[in-house]
Amino acid sequence: MSTSHIAYAVIGGTGLYQLQGLENIERVALDTPYGKPSGDVVCGDFHGRRFAFLARHGESHSLAPHRVNYRANVHALHQLGVGAVIGVNAVGGIREDMGPRVLALPDQIIDYTYGRLNSFCDVEGAEVQHVDFTEPYTASLRKALLQAAERAGVPVVDGGCYGATQGPRLETRAEIARMRRDGCDLVGMTGMPEAVLAREIGLPYACLSLVANWAAGCGDAVEISLDEIFAHLAAATAEVPKILAELP
């Protein structure tokens, strides 16, 4: 199977290690100028279109958020010539309407991460790019995902601000209170630098956030249960292929 003309690439986060329904599969091992990606890119046919899938943390979830080679992941998809990238991210909910099992398409992001290699410019001899990041997610791709979700009958919250933290630990109640004051509606660990790298390299990019738990101090829970996180995440993840199947 040829890997050319791939309409969409999906970068799967925690709980999404393969794309159910992908057929005629070819695993592509790639190397990039920035090292190796998190694993093989799995290419195949999905509801009449060509898709590529990459597990952000590796298929065995062996890479912590701060150790993911985001540059290699994004560059590998660029090498394959994909048309657009959808980052699927497990997150915590801060805003009242973003509780567990909610799916959301944020339209803004605040970066609280540190020490990550966050630009393709950060190599000797590379031309420095000052990309416009006013709107961090591609409007046309967000619209396509919202319309696909509507056709699929899957409720999705339109908009919101994603706060990207370092991880792998979860946040303190005080940290989430600060993020709420900053305007964050969701909190996750992998939204950056993935989004800005896609912008630098010219790939349309959007984030589909899956709420796995209330963030610290939000909702009714006194303590965050990992068992509950994985149960909520499994339920939300099951909705993702339904949306992707309706993309144009």
Side-chain angles (χ1 to χ4, degrees), residues 7-191:
Y8 300 100
V10 177
I11 302 178
T14 300
L16 184 60
Y17 307 113
Q18 58 183 339
L19 179 56
Q20 294 293 334
L22 200 64
E23 299 177 336
N24 302 318
I25 287 173
E26 178 185 355
R27 300 180 68 92
V28 184
L30 292 166
D31 204 351
T32 80
Y34 308 93
K36 292 186 179 298
S38 297
D40 293 347
V41 181
V42 182
C43 303
D45 301 322
F46 184 79
H47 292 268
R49 286 163 302 282
R50 305 295 293 282
F51 270 70
F53 179 84
L54 176 62
R56 185 185 289 115
H57 298 281
E59 293 178 2
S60 60
H61 200 94
S62 57
L63 296 169
H66 64 293
R67 296 188 64 84
V68 172
N69 191 338
Y70 294 94
R71 295 194 301 180
N73 286 352
V74 173
H75 201 278
L77 299 177
H78 174 68
Q79 289 173 211
L80 286 174
V82 305
V85 178
I86 300 160
V88 180
N89 302 75
V91 299
I94 299 175
R95 204 169 80 191
E96 288 74 11
D97 61 341
M98 293 190 176
R101 306 194 181 196
V102 165
L103 279 69
L105 277 165
D107 57 2
Q108 279 297 324
I109 194 163
I110 298 176
D111 188 5
Y112 299 94
T113 67
Y114 51 88
R116 300 185 182 188
L117 296 173
N118 59 8
S119 174
F120 291 117
C121 305
D122 192 20
V123 292
E124 188 69 29
E127 179 183 355
V128 176
Q129 297 184 64
H130 300 286
V131 295
D132 178 20
F133 208 50
T134 306
E135 303 297 335
Y137 303 113
T138 304
S140 58
L141 183 55
R142 287 189 71 257
K143 182 178 179 180
L145 284 162
L146 285 167
Q147 292 175 340
E150 185 176 359
R151 287 191 292 271
V154 177
V156 173
V157 177
D158 178 8
C161 182
Y162 179 124
T165 59
Q166 183 72 354
R169 68 167 177 85
L170 299 177
E171 301 73 31
T172 68
R173 188 171 64 251
E175 287 169 333
I176 294 299
R178 179 190 69 164
M179 294 177 72
R180 189 197 294 273
R181 291 192 298 271
D182 286 350
C184 295
D185 304 300
L186 301 162
V187 56
M189 303 173 187
T190 54

